[in-house]
């Protein structure tokens, strides 16, 4: 249940960054001095980055955090499990760093004189469509998990674990983790596919979600003798 804290921080922080980038892109304002100092430290001043791509990805990241926060508050049913302090601190730091990572893809001189319509490319459309598709499936899978602990009237009747069925659960044990990976891949596509920095973020998400999925998969196999043997842990067919 403390994952809720991650998304509260992300909504506030990345929303703040989104406002600054929006004002710089459309109102011609300069980015704050601390952001410019960060650019100088990372040597990003001369990077030829697409500003609209970064703005769009930051928006998608913020919307993702808003949805996950809403799901934590009103959809998910949490057990009495606890989170390790290291994982908790990592989660808080991650959502602060990932928004700053997007912002660092934009040169300090944001304005480039192009019209917004000219900047919309095919990979923006593909990335956003993939983002919506993965987000819908993630929400469905989280709703399936929550409904395992609810009665038909919607009242929570149990906090124990059960075997989920439906949607991507027919292929993998943790489809919501797989959807998380696809969401970050969709952002990599939205950034133009060739952004090495964001692919490093994708790899971080891959290893983190894969580890959690394998542990969850082993839990299911250990505690449910009738658990479907064809299901993989994380990625279908892998």
């Amino acid at each position: 249940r403390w994952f809720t804290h991650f998304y509260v921080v992300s909504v506030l922080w990345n929303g703040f960054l989104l406002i600054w980038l929006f004002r710089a892109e459309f109102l011609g304002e300069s980015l704050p001095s601390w952001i410019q100092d960060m650019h100088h430290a990372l040597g990003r001043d001369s990077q030829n980055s697409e500003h609209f791509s970064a703005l769009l990805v930051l928006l998608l990241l913020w919307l993702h955090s808003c949805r996950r926060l809403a799901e934590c508050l009103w959809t998910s049913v949490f057990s009495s499990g606890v989170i390790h302090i290291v994982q908790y601190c990592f989660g808080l730091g991650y959502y602060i760093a990932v928004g700053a990572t997007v912002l660092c893809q934009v040169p300090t001189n944001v304005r480039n004189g192009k019209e917004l319509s000219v900047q919309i490319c095919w990979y923006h459309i593909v990335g956003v469509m993939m983002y919506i598709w993965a987000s819908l499936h993630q929400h469905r899978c989280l709703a399936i998990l929550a409904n395992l602990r609810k009665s038909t009237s919607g009242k929570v009747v149990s906090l124990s674990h059960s075997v989920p069925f439906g949607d991507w659960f027919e292929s993998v044990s943790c489809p919501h983790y797989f959807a998380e990976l696809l969401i970050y891949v969709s952002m990599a596509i939205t950034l133009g596919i060739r952004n090495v920095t964001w692919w490093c973020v994708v790899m971080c998400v891959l290893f983190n979600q894969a580890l959690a999925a394998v542990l969850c998969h082993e839990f299911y196999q250990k505690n449910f003798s009738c658990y479907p043997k064809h299901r993989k842990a994380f990625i279908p067919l892998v």
Side-chain angles (χ1 to χ4, degrees):
R1 71 182 74 246
W2 280 29
F3 271 48
T4 305
H5 300 178
F6 300 164
Y7 301 118
V8 169
V9 169
S10 182
V11 168
L12 295 176
W13 170 248
N14 292 313
F16 168 76
L17 296 182
L18 182 62
I19 291 173
W20 272 112
L21 187 55
F22 180 88
R23 292 172 64 176
E25 177 70 32
F26 296 104
L27 302 180
E29 297 183 9
S30 299
L31 292 172
S33 58
W34 63 269
I35 294 179
Q36 297 186 33
D37 292 340
M38 184 168 57
H39 279 75
H40 288 302
L42 297 175
R44 311 300 288 186
D45 292 328
S46 61
Q47 180 178 342
N48 184 20
S49 176
E50 293 189 62
H51 316 127
F52 179 68
S53 297
L55 179 65
L56 186 56
V57 168
L58 195 55
L59 174 62
L60 295 180
L61 180 64
W62 182 75
L63 290 174
H64 176 61
S65 300
C66 289
R67 177 180 61 82
R68 291 293 294 117
L69 176 59
E71 289 166 343
C72 285
L73 293 175
W74 298 298
T75 301
S76 298
V77 179
F78 298 103
S79 64
S80 57
V82 296
I83 185 173
H84 195 282
I85 185 64
V86 174
Q87 185 183 10
Y88 180 74
C89 292
F90 173 82
L92 292 177
Y94 171 81
Y95 282 102
I96 293 175
V98 73
T101 300
V102 178
L103 206 60
C104 282
Q105 306 312 301
V106 181
T108 52
N109 182 18
V110 176
R111 301 296 297 173
N112 62 359
K114 293 183 179 180
E115 295 295 332
L116 180 61
S117 59
V118 176
Q119 297 182 24
I120 297 177
C121 301
W122 65 268
Y123 48 79
H124 296 146
I125 299 173
V126 173
V128 170
M129 293 300 294
M130 182 177 179
Y131 171 89
I132 295 173
W133 174 65
S135 297
L136 287 173
H137 278 284
Q138 187 177 56
H139 177 73
R140 289 174 186 170
C141 292
L142 290 171
I144 289 173
L145 287 175
N147 289 334
L148 291 175
R149 296 176 171 179
K150 297 179 181 179
S151 64
T152 53
S153 63
K155 182 180 179 180
V156 177
V157 295
S158 173
L159 295 181
S160 61
H161 294 278
S162 303
V163 179
F165 292 93
D167 206 80
W168 287 356
F169 279 109
E170 301 303 321
S171 301
V172 294
S173 296
C174 301
H176 47 307
Y177 294 158
F178 178 52
E180 185 81 3
L181 175 63
L182 292 181
I183 287 171
Y184 279 85
V185 170
S186 72
M187 294 181 191
I189 295 174
T190 306
L191 273 174
I193 303 177
R194 294 178 294 179
N195 190 295
V196 177
T197 303
W198 194 258
W199 282 112
C200 291
V201 176
V202 172
M203 293 303 294
C204 177
V205 173
L206 169 63
F207 291 129
N208 180 273
Q209 299 296 298
L211 174 60
V214 168
L215 294 175
C216 186
H217 184 66
E218 292 176 348
F219 173 87
Y220 280 129
Q221 291 179 321
K222 179 181 178 181
N223 290 276
F224 300 97
S225 58
C226 60
Y227 193 72
K229 297 184 180 300
H230 68 277
R231 287 190 190 179
K232 305 302 180 181
F234 180 42
I235 301 176
L237 305 178
V238 178

